[in-house]
Amino acid sequence: MVDDTLGFSVLNRAEQLKKLQSETFDLAIIGGGITGSGIALDAASRGLKVCLVEKNDFASGTSNKSTKLIHGGLRYLKQFEIGLVRESGTERAIVHKLAPHLVVPEKMLIPLIKNGTYGKLMTTIGLKIYDYLADVNGDDKRVMLNKAETLEKEPLLDKSRVLGGGLYSEYRTDDARLTIEVLKTATSFGTTAINYCEMQSFNYDEHSKIKSLNCIDHNTKNQFTLKARHYISATGPWVDDLRKKDHSLTHKHLHITKGVHIVFPFEKLPIKQSIYFDVPDGRMIFAIPRGRITYVGTTDSNYSGSLDRVVATKNDALYLINAINNVFTSLNLTIEDVESCWAGLRPLIHEDNKAPSELSRKDELFISESGLISIAGGKLTGYRKMAQRAIEAVLKTMDTDKKQNFENSKTLQLPLVSPAFQSDTEVSLYQNKLEKKLAILGINNPYRAQYLCSTFGKQAETIILKSEDFNNDHPLERLIRAELWYTINNEMVNSLTDFFVRRTGRLFFNISGVKRYSMLILEDMAEYLNWDDKRILEEKQSLNTLIQDATTFYDKEFE
């Protein structure tokens, strides 16, 4: 759906829910993360009539807990996953072109450390192969640095241990925002999408084929039947749960691993440059400056706890802190220096006798006799190709006449926002324009313009204009209220956590802002969404739990 007034695709919950209950679709997708959203866009843009249901909020699982990079997976070269590196490397540039404000070039420094895992020869060869596989050209090509050049890039590195370095290119993103924009674009091609709507069970015909889904809208508690001709499960860590419901779980199953990231105030970890460094156990870890903070990750450990409440433990935090202190020996960071954290799950494909870091990141399709197609594994970077493979599997089940009604995949050229940016230069000019508009409002922090541009693209001007309708004394209060108004009306925000986590990223990158503005936002949300006292209390409790999980390192996992 496209709002002709605002000029971009929107998500309106009431309208989407009405369509969901009254129409029969070519394809029903279960799961609203980046994989499900990518499948919806690929299918709808080909001409299929598509719906998508998500039991929580869009991007509420794995798709907002990544390292927030669109990257090629340099470390997978060590596992000889050449195809995965080639595809991921190529996809980086494609997704950047489709949303240059949201997928931003990020130079990555690999320091070569005395007695480190990677020497100069291995790093040189690895980066050269990486560039070749990803067809990297121009300024993005890798550069090998001597000791002085490496320390100029990052003065905090230990001068007594640094031997040199390698500089190469990746892309930074906000994974949840990317998911939302993909899904909004899918709705512009007719996709019907709804959050907080859970698929509870399958209904089968006389041939044991799925004929419909039993669903519940968690807002109203109303139950209904959703009808489609084809069904895809893109539920990440919950894929095997749905396969059990479908009685189609086989010896091929998921292997869930956990990844934790920790966030420091920038002044505690004031690196000039994103770093990709090795730790004593042979793994690689990122440290990435991002505005007012620097974040570090990730761990990679086997996981068997709760899928619905994943938290960081003290051991997770200490592993990352020790890794940072090992490469930045002058900092002496402690667990008290951590501002916030996040923990997420990776739904990988199980392989016997392999450690978490050795498991393949390739995606895989499971096709059951009932017609359910499940997709698992994969990386954020590869969402577009994963979607193509899933839809090709659907098309193979159609007869020739039906298949001819649909076009080939278009997502290679489809911008992910409207109005679209055409280049990095246009993004930079637009951000400068936002700085001037914000200065008129009394907001002179350039970080705020960068945040609005990278989060909302050209829709940021609508938010700035709307902020003038509010009466708060402080312009930042007016601005955040305008963000809420926009996301409720156009991005199906349904709770405080939707807004503070998936739509704005504040919980991870500006947790003090969450605490400062939570009551103001709660009051507006209660009015917009007609919440009663019980719902208001539930929202307060839910947000408090979320803040607790983002600022606490637990002794053990939740069962």
Side-chain angles (χ1 to χ4, degrees):
M1 179 176 63
V2 175
D3 186 312
D4 293 329
T5 304
L6 298 178
F8 44 81
S9 56
V10 300
L11 289 168
N12 179 286
R13 196 172 194 280
E15 183 174 324
Q16 299 281 294
L17 188 59
K18 182 179 178 181
K19 289 170 62 180
L20 202 66
Q21 299 178 67
S22 60
E23 301 181 14
T24 299
F25 298 88
D26 292 318
L27 175 64
I29 302 164
I30 308 164
I34 188 62
T35 305
S37 300
I39 292 169
L41 176 56
D42 189 280
S45 61
R46 292 180 191 230
L48 280 77
K49 189 175 184 180
V50 180
C51 68
L52 179 149
V53 293
E54 163 58 51
K55 71 173 184 175
N56 294 309
D57 184 31
F58 306 123
S60 58
T62 299
S63 295
N64 81 313
K65 303 289 177 57
S66 74
T67 306
K68 304 183 188 299
L69 291 174
I70 298 293
H71 69 110
L74 177 62
R75 73 181 182 88
Y76 305 132
L77 281 179
K78 193 167 76 168
Q79 297 166 227
F80 299 103
E81 295 204 53
I82 304 301
L84 176 64
V85 175
R86 178 185 286 112
E87 180 175 289
S88 297
T90 303
E91 285 297 301
R92 296 177 309 167
I94 293 171
V95 183
H96 168 60
K97 182 179 178 181
L98 301 179
H101 70 293
L102 182 55
V103 180
V104 181
E106 184 82 14
K107 288 292 186 181
M108 202 70 62
L109 175 66
I110 300 179
L112 303 179
I113 305 292
K114 190 181 298 181
N115 300 320
T117 306
Y118 298 96
K120 181 177 181 180
L121 179 61
M122 184 182 294
T123 303
T124 302
I125 293 171
L127 290 179
K128 186 172 184 178
I129 294 172
Y130 192 62
D131 280 358
Y132 171 75
L133 292 174
D135 195 24
V136 174
N137 294 296
D139 293 339
D140 284 345
K141 293 189 73 171
R142 91 280 176 210
V143 177
M144 296 306 296
L145 308 175
N146 61 30
K147 178 174 181 173
E149 292 168 331
T150 302
L151 290 171
E152 182 180 358
K153 289 289 182 184
E154 187 42 70
L156 277 180
L157 290 167
D158 186 346
K159 297 176 177 60
S160 67
R161 298 170 61 208
V162 170
L163 303 175
L167 195 67
Y168 73 106
S169 294
E170 297 286 19
Y171 293 86
R172 191 184 73 230
T173 192
D174 181 320
D175 46 10
R177 283 302 316 179
L178 180 63
T179 301
I180 292 298
E181 297 297 356
V182 169
L183 191 55
K184 286 164 64 179
T185 306
T187 67
S188 74
F189 285 93
T191 293
T192 301
I194 192 81
N195 55 0
Y196 297 98
C197 181
E198 184 173 359
M199 191 294 296
Q200 294 185 306
S201 60
F202 298 101
N203 297 312
Y204 300 89
D205 63 17
E206 63 274 17
H207 303 293
S208 299
K209 300 291 186 181
I210 300 172
K211 66 176 182 179
S212 62
L213 308 177
N214 294 320
C215 300
I216 182 170
D217 172 22
H218 285 301
N219 273 15
T220 63
K221 308 306 178 186
N222 289 337
Q223 296 182 329
F224 63 94
T225 300
L226 189 160
K227 297 179 181 178
R229 298 177 184 89
H230 303 274
Y231 300 88
I232 291 179
S233 168
T235 51
W238 292 269
V239 156
D240 280 356
D241 288 353
L242 266 70
R243 295 171 72 202
K244 288 177 184 176
K245 288 184 178 183
D246 183 50
H247 310 291
S248 58
L249 183 61
T250 64
H251 68 283
K252 197 84 169 178
H253 60 89
L254 296 186
H255 186 133
I256 306 297
T257 71
K258 186 180 78 166
V260 168
H261 296 77
I262 56 178
V263 179
F264 296 93
F266 181 74
E267 57 268 22
K268 291 288 184 180
L269 185 49
I271 55 177
K272 292 173 56 178
Q273 163 77 55
S274 288
I275 308 286
Y276 189 38
F277 60 96
D278 61 310
V279 295
D281 65 5
R283 295 193 64 253
M284 298 290 288
I285 286 177
F286 291 101
I288 302 172
R290 188 168 181 146
R292 57 173 297 281
I293 61 92
T294 302
Y295 68 97
V296 179
T298 176
T299 61
D300 198 359
S301 56
N302 290 321
Y303 186 77
S304 58
S306 169
L307 297 183
D308 297 307
R309 190 177 180 188
V310 186
V311 297
T313 66
K314 290 177 183 176
N315 285 339
D316 295 325
L318 291 174
Y319 175 85
L320 294 173
I321 291 168
N322 290 337
I324 282 288
N325 286 334
N326 183 62
V327 74
F328 298 111
T329 53
S330 64
L331 294 181
N332 298 314
L333 293 170
T334 69
I335 203 164
E336 285 74 26
D337 294 320
V338 178
E339 177 176 293
S340 62
C341 65
W342 68 88
L345 301 179
R346 305 179 190 90
L348 306 177
I349 311 303
H350 179 75
E351 298 175 70
D352 290 338
N353 303 315
K354 282 200 173 184
S357 295
E358 296 174 329
L359 291 171
S360 174
R361 266 52 179 176
K362 290 179 182 177
D363 56 281
E364 190 162 338
L365 293 171
F366 306 106
I367 303 175
S368 79
E369 293 183 1
S370 69
L372 179 67
I373 297 174
S374 302
I375 185 166
K379 288 159 41 67
L380 173 69
T381 306
Y383 83 87
R384 199 183 64 85
K385 299 298 286 187
M386 291 169 65
Q388 287 183 16
R389 287 190 278 272
I391 296 306
E392 291 299 330
V394 171
L395 294 176
K396 285 180 181 178
T397 68
M398 298 180 182
D399 60 49
T400 303
D401 290 341
K402 178 69 173 176
K403 195 184 306 184
Q404 287 176 346
N405 294 326
F406 307 120
E407 302 177 34
N408 293 328
S409 179
K410 297 179 177 180
T411 58
L412 179 63
Q413 303 292 339
L414 284 179
L416 297 182
V417 295
S418 178
F421 289 102
Q422 301 302 319
S423 66
D424 293 340
T425 300
E426 187 181 357
V427 172
S428 180
L429 291 172
Y430 186 76
Q431 187 171 314
N432 291 338
K433 179 181 178 181
L434 291 181
E435 284 188 33
K436 294 175 183 177
K437 286 181 176 288
L438 289 172
I440 294 172
L441 298 180
I443 301 172
N444 294 299
N445 185 347
Y447 164 73
R448 197 60 54 179
Q450 183 272 330
Y451 158 77
L452 285 173
C453 181
S454 63
T455 304
F456 299 107
K458 292 184 180 179
Q459 301 155 20
E461 286 181 271
T462 300
I463 292 170
I464 292 174
L465 183 63
K466 179 65 180 179
S467 72
E468 298 174 7
D469 291 347
F470 298 104
N471 299 319
N472 304 61
D473 291 335
H474 201 289
L476 286 178
E477 292 182 350
R478 298 200 299 270
L479 195 62
I480 194 172
R481 294 180 71 187
E483 289 180 51
L484 177 68
W485 166 85
Y486 169 77
T487 56
I488 282 181
N489 285 282
N490 302 290
E491 296 183 348
M492 216 177 283
V493 160
N494 195 60
S495 72
L496 288 173
T497 59
D498 297 350
F499 178 72
F500 282 124
V501 182
R502 269 85 62 178
R503 304 306 183 277
T504 68
R506 279 184 172 86
L507 185 79
F508 302 146
F509 300 126
N510 188 7
I511 198 164
S512 61
V514 177
K515 297 172 182 176
R516 184 181 308 120
Y517 297 120
S518 60
M519 292 309 299
L520 177 68
I521 293 302
L522 178 61
E523 290 173 5
D524 276 2
M525 289 195 78
E527 182 177 344
Y528 286 136
L529 300 177
N530 298 312
W531 287 347
D532 58 20
D533 290 343
K534 179 183 177 184
R535 178 64 189 272
I536 291 173
L537 180 60
E538 290 173 346
E539 286 294 320
K540 287 181 180 178
Q541 293 171 338
S542 178
L543 184 62
N544 286 338
T545 298
L546 206 68
I547 291 173
Q548 177 183 326
D549 288 353
T551 55
T552 304
F553 295 112
Y554 293 89
D555 290 327
K556 61 180 182 178
E557 316 285 2
F558 283 93
E559 299 298 328

